[in-house]
Amino acid sequence: MSADKLQVWADTFGRRAGALPGAHVPWLDSLRRQAFERFMSEGWPTPRQEAWHHTSLAPLAAAQFEEGSAQEGVADQVRALVAAHTGHWLVFVDGAFDASLSRLGSLPEGVTIQATSEAWGGHADTVHALYGQAQDGHSTSALNLALASDGALVSLGRGVVLEQAVHVVCAVSEPRAAHFLRHLIQAQAGSQATVIEHYIGLPDAANFRHAVTRLQLDQDARITHLKLQQESPLAWHLGEIEATQAKHSYFASHSVSLGARLARHDIATHFQDERCETLLNGLYYVDQRRHVDHHTLIGHLKPHCVSHESYRGIMADASHGVFTGRILVAEGADGTDAIQRNDSLLLSRLAKSDARPELEIYADDVKCAHGATVGQIDPDSLFYLRTRGIEEARARDILIYAFAARSVARIPDESLRRHVEGAVRRLLPGGDLLEAA
């Protein structure tokens, strides 16, 4: 890695570190410096590393980002989104909490929803416990830890059921800036909630966003998490979701990636006790020469846990989709029930898909299966629709949307499902054929 490319980030850290929220907190300041030293030592990941074999960050490492060139229109975009849905809203613009656009509403006792930049008073211990360590994840994770300017803190007390969803909106007004966010979600025993992360941007923004979400689910907790990435086709997006699950907990992750020239999503959950359950569901669409990469890890570390995983990708033009899903069944994790599947639809001869389902099993009494398919529109299905009087272009659109709709249908909450349906309808070929649920 060129020293000049890393020096840019050294300058950025030197300029930002003293002004970051929590800079006065000794443990956090020390942690940020440790993380940045790790990033400078390791540099950006390269395709020589197994986890990055199909994704090169060289163009991102060479890109130049600028601060302070804000454009208008972002506030109106956010207000329209907030007005269209109920729930509790935390809004971040250019990596900083915006109280004027946020709308928290009335919260039940035992629930904390606030920006981490405002949590150092009454919730510093919670932030400390969830924030992570300098050696976690890839070198990009360390860069995020070093430069994260803000993020959402969602803390649920024992037995609390939050009826309305928590919406975390991350918008940009600076079209060529780099921003880092770190979201923290704590679900104490028996609590339940739905958290939605929206990533939106201006149509021509060439910004870089890196977002890390860390979740802790205690016994019997249930969290549904939806990440909807709708950034500009010129933007860069790196995202990580890391969850730990205690006994009888349930975690559902729905990842919908529709934007960015390059998007990389690392999603992992670790079963710390028996009878945990998780659902990892994903849908991604890329066109032109865009690139999307999903890396998932499900750690079956204890007996009698269940995981269901399904990702669907649609690639058009000369785009590239990547899926790597690893299921790790540790020694002694008997009774594991794990299913993993990845399906890719190629809409052109130049579109490319790489699928790497992986099972790593060290226990005997398990039920595990995985599979992957890559193909084009089924000619028999197309012929069937043509025989029903549907013209060819329209028939293709129907089949494209039908392929995507199977992922959308796995979102159980009707309001969430409709929200994703709207995003898909505005983007996918054939999306206008969708009828509201």
Side-chain angles (χ1 to χ4, degrees), residues 170-186:
C170 304
V172 292
S173 69
E174 299 174 335
R176 292 199 56 83
H179 299 294
F180 300 81
L181 293 150
R182 203 166 185 88
H183 308 303
L184 310 174
I185 301 173
Q186 178 190 57

Side-chain angles (χ1 to χ4, degrees), residues 376-388 390 392 395-396 398-400 402:
Q376 298 177 328
I377 291 176
D378 179 30
D380 292 337
S381 299
L382 187 61
F383 176 76
Y384 175 83
L385 292 178
R386 294 294 309 280
T387 62
R388 296 304 185 269
I390 302 174
E392 183 173 355
R396 285 176 57 85
I398 291 173
L399 294 174
I400 293 169

Side-chain angles (χ1 to χ4, degrees), residues 265-285:
H265 306 277
D266 286 87
I267 303 170
T269 188
H270 309 275
F271 300 147
Q272 306 287 354
D273 210 330
E274 297 185 7
R275 303 195 184 280
C276 299
E277 184 175 353
T278 195
L279 167 67
L280 301 188
N281 176 43
L283 173 65
Y284 47 96
Y285 169 75

Side-chain angles (χ1 to χ4, degrees), residues 182-220:
R182 203 166 185 88
H183 308 303
L184 310 174
I185 301 173
Q186 178 190 57
Q188 295 186 29
S191 60
Q192 299 182 32
T194 295
V195 180
I196 309 169
E197 295 180 29
H198 309 253
Y199 292 88
I200 57 177
L202 299 168
D204 59 347
N207 61 287
F208 169 38
R209 202 111 54 123
H210 190 313
V212 170
T213 301
R214 296 177 55 82
L215 303 98
Q216 175 189 306
L217 282 72
D218 292 346
Q219 182 171 337
D220 296 310

Side-chain angles (χ1 to χ4, degrees), residues 6 13 29-43 134-135 139 142-143 146:
L6 292 179
F13 183 73
D29 180 67
S30 175
L31 186 60
R32 284 171 170 159
R33 296 184 182 281
Q34 292 174 32
F36 191 72
E37 288 175 6
R38 179 195 167 195
F39 173 75
M40 291 296 290
S41 173
E42 297 181 15
Q135 295 305 314
S139 61
L143 182 63

